[in-house]
Amino acid sequence: MSDSDDPGTRGGAGFGGLPVHRPGSALTPYVRSMTAYDMAGVEVVHHGVPSPDLTVILALGRPLTVGWTADRAQGREFHGLVSGLHDGPAFIFPTADHAGVQLAVTPLGARALVGLPAGAIAAGLVDLDDLWAGVAAELIEALHDCRTWPERFARIETTLRTRLQGDDSIRPELMWAWDRIVAGAVPATGALADEIGWSRGYFARVFAAEYGLKPKETVRVARFSRARIALGRPGASLADVAAQCGYADQAHLTREWRRLAGCTPSGWRQEVSSFVQDDPRTATAASTT
């Protein structure tokens, strides 16, 4: 739909002084980061923007209300949420006294931790307990009892390690194509199919079944994600980011931003000053799956 440094937290600090944590090596292929957030006093509707990662949210206060439209009445409440890959904005509605942890989960992590390919929950908002059969509720209750963010991150890691399943494989051809696309190393997705030796139609079908986005949609989302990271850096101009990330010009960047994020780049910059989806200064642009 992604804070003061703490000696017990790997990964540094995100917006507002809250920590960004990088999991240990056992989870590195599956969870890219854990980000603490706090919506206290936030009145704006937050845009959950597309990313090459799935999103898992663990709400520590009141349930989080999330939907695919700007109409709050169409949203659903979640204490634990899994969001599949998507190419449009989710809308996260302000809730007083709400805090929690957001996890950036790789497509490989979807198989390893949930037991499903990312494509099975594409563009979906799924209650985590529906997938974990009560484990999510137990984890969230345990997080309430933790006194610090490092304790919460450690508790989450412990639970995730127990959820690792044996079948976490993705076809090597699809992993290779995914890494190429997310790294921005693909001039045309048809060329990937040609290099693999598959028909272009078959490649598009099996790619979408695994990841939930078609190859061309993934190219757009990956380029958007790189632009979002670049725009989070101090002093970055829209024109420079557009050129750096492969947009035709600044107007092209802005059009794509409206379509994928539901807001302008400038609007997003204002929004993240009050609420963090993830830290664009530390987010990883390339897939490690």
Side-chain angles (χ1 to χ4, degrees):
M1 271 184 287
S2 152
D3 313 27
S4 62
D5 287 326
D6 186 290
T9 301
R10 294 186 298 272
F15 293 111
L18 296 180
V20 177
H21 175 70
R22 306 297 174 186
S25 58
L27 293 171
T28 298
Y30 311 118
V31 179
R32 202 177 308 284
S33 65
M34 303 180 189
T35 301
Y37 67 87
D38 192 336
M39 291 180 67
V42 175
E43 299 297 332
V44 299
V45 176
H46 176 63
H47 293 76
V49 298
S51 165
D53 294 314
L54 292 82
T55 297
V56 173
I57 296 178
L58 302 169
L60 301 183
R62 297 179 182 177
L64 197 65
T65 301
V66 185
W68 293 117
T69 75
D71 181 2
R72 184 172 189 142
Q74 300 298 314
R76 294 175 56 196
E77 290 189 342
F78 297 92
H79 287 284
L81 164 68
V82 181
S83 172
L85 301 181
H86 53 98
D87 62 352
F91 295 85
I92 303 171
F93 297 94
T95 304
D97 302 322
H98 181 77
V101 179
Q102 175 178 295
L103 283 65
V105 176
T106 68
L108 191 62
R111 283 189 172 271
L113 297 170
V114 179
L116 295 170
I121 49 178
L125 300 172
V126 182
D127 194 303
L128 186 57
D129 247 4
D130 290 344
L131 301 173
W132 278 5
V135 174
E138 294 176 6
L139 172 59
I140 292 170
E141 184 64 28
L143 295 180
H144 278 285
D145 296 334
C146 295
R147 300 181 60 185
T148 66
W149 289 112
E151 288 179 18
R152 293 183 180 115
F153 294 141
R155 184 65 179 82
I156 293 170
E157 285 205 46
T158 298
T159 297
L160 293 182
R161 285 195 296 269
T162 67
R163 297 298 303 174
L164 289 176
Q165 304 182 24
D167 183 12
D168 63 355
S169 59
I170 295 176
R171 293 179 68 168
E173 301 93 337
L174 295 178
M175 292 180 64
W176 173 81
W178 176 266
D179 286 342
R180 291 286 303 279
I181 290 174
V182 174
V186 178
T189 58
L192 292 176
D194 296 342
E195 289 190 54
I196 293 171
W198 293 347
S199 73
R200 296 185 178 189
Y202 178 74
F203 170 65
R205 288 194 300 274
V206 296
F207 188 98
E210 180 63 49
Y211 297 114
L213 293 174
K214 297 177 181 179
K216 289 184 179 180
E217 294 169 339
T218 306
V219 168
R220 292 179 64 204
V221 168
R223 181 175 59 185
F224 167 85
S225 185
R226 294 192 299 273
R228 178 177 55 81
I229 293 167
L231 280 171
R233 298 180 181 126
S237 72
L238 293 181
D240 288 344
V241 169
Q244 172 188 335
C245 296
Y247 292 94
D249 51 30
Q250 181 176 328
H252 182 204
L253 167 67
T254 300
R255 288 195 303 272
E256 281 288 274
W257 205 277
R258 286 185 180 276
R259 292 166 66 183
L260 294 174
C263 61
T264 65
S266 298
W268 174 80
R269 278 174 157 169
Q270 292 176 346
E271 183 180 306
V272 295
S273 67
S274 59
F275 175 61
V276 57
Q277 175 179 352
D278 61 358
D279 184 356
R281 295 168 297 178
T282 58
T284 303
S287 172
T288 57
T289 60

